[in-house]
Amino acid sequence: MKMTDRKKGLGLFVGLAMCLTGVMVWASSAGPGISPDEALARLKQGNDRYVSGKAEHPRADKQRREETATKGQHPIAAVIGCSDSRGPVEIIFDQGIGDVFVIRVAGNVANADEVGSAEYAVEHLGAPVIVVLGHTSCGAVTAVAKGAHLGGSLPPLVKNINTAVAKVKKADPKLADQALVDAAIKANVWQSIEDLFKTSPDIRKFAKEGKIKLVGAMYHLDSGQVDWMGQHPDQAKFLGAAAQAAPAKKTD
Ligand SMILES: [Zn+2]
């Protein structure tokens, strides 16, 4: 009898634990409860306030800190931005604590760590948007575009920037100097979005289901303005290729 009671007790405990785990998973993936378009609108409005000198610095007080510490985070977006000290993401979008899941890395690249972080934001926190945010005068992209020697751990970091620069040079071999750098900075934003799609089946799945949007954006260091580049021109191809990845190869 004792063993049976213990088993019952254990079963009850396991069942309760599973329920609680389920509730926790549900709570953490519930997200902010807004659509991708609404999230983008909030980021645009925040940047407008910042540019016009009317930033509100919202949700940055003690109450918000305590609320997010105890109730968890439901960021409205994941932003992959450059580590450049002149592009602080929460400030330029006039957002507060718990509003933006920020992934900053030199050259706003999307290597495994950045893709994994974006997946976490989307799958576990319910962020409806991933923004890849490039910026004018990006040192990392400029160094690659100008063929600077990069030692130490930098070569693997800029691997994907190399790809972006190569595409720009191939498309227009005459590009040089600032024009080349500017084109490479833009191409590098597209490259990160392409890398997110190509390396993450989960991000492709969420995008296909319309649960998330991936957009590019460009931050202007001088004006503070964020120009929105929209979705990747080849997004349909990336998502279509993903859908056809499993079947056998085409015979033609
Ligand atoms: Zn940069």
Side-chain angles (χ1 to χ4, degrees):
M1 281 295 282
K2 272 190 173 179
M3 280 301 287
T4 310
D5 286 345
R6 268 187 203 163
K7 278 183 183 172
K8 275 184 185 170
L10 184 65
L12 188 66
F13 173 76
V14 170
L16 186 64
M18 285 175 73
C19 284
L20 283 172
T21 305
V23 168
M24 285 169 70
V25 168
W26 177 83
S28 65
S29 61
I34 59 173
S35 68
D37 287 339
E38 170 64 19
L40 286 169
R42 289 192 194 180
L43 294 178
K44 287 173 188 172
Q45 289 158 7
N47 181 243
D48 286 346
R49 292 195 299 271
Y50 170 65
V51 170
S52 59
K54 294 175 182 169
E56 296 170 355
H57 309 293
R59 299 174 293 284
D61 56 5
K62 180 172 178 281
Q63 183 190 343
R64 176 68 167 180
R65 183 179 71 234
E66 291 174 350
E67 182 186 296
T68 50
T70 54
K71 294 180 181 171
Q73 55 172 329
H74 303 291
I76 63 168
V79 177
I80 299 181
C82 182
S83 298
D84 193 297
S85 59
R86 299 164 292 181
V89 175
E90 283 91 344
I91 292 177
I92 68 180
F93 288 117
D94 198 24
Q95 300 295 314
I97 298 166
D99 288 341
V100 190
F101 192 89
V102 182
I103 304 157
R104 287 179 73 178
V105 56
N108 46 271
V109 295
N111 287 321
D113 289 347
E114 293 80 29
V115 174
S117 299
E119 286 175 340
Y120 180 78
V122 165
E123 294 172 25
H124 297 278
L125 305 178
V129 160
I130 300 174
V131 179
V132 174
L133 181 67
H135 70 95
T136 54
S137 307
C138 182
V141 180
T142 301
V144 174
K146 292 189 171 177
H149 171 73
L150 298 171
S153 297
L154 284 169
L157 172 75
V158 303
K159 175 173 57 81
N160 300 343
I161 302 178
N162 276 318
T163 307
V165 170
K167 285 178 184 172
V168 166
K169 286 181 174 175
K170 190 180 176 191
D172 188 351
K174 290 177 191 161
L175 274 182
D177 304 324
Q178 195 57 44
L180 172 64
V181 170
D182 291 345
I185 288 172
K186 196 172 176 185
N188 186 52
V189 169
W190 293 136
Q191 186 63 45
S192 292
I193 294 179
E194 179 174 340
D195 294 330
L196 283 161
F197 277 132
K198 286 193 169 173
T199 60
S200 175
D202 289 349
I203 287 175
R204 290 198 300 270
K205 177 174 174 286
F206 276 59
K208 283 188 82 162
E209 292 171 353
K211 290 179 180 169
I212 61 167
K213 275 191 177 175
L214 271 70
V215 299
M218 188 64 63
Y219 177 62
H220 291 261
L221 292 185
D222 49 1
S223 67
Q225 180 79 39
V226 171
D227 284 342
W228 295 89
M229 296 161 61
Q231 295 180 328
H232 195 294
D234 293 331
Q235 174 171 310
K237 191 175 84 180
F238 299 143
L239 297 183
Q244 289 158 17
K249 286 178 190 169
K250 287 168 84 176
T251 48
D252 57 346

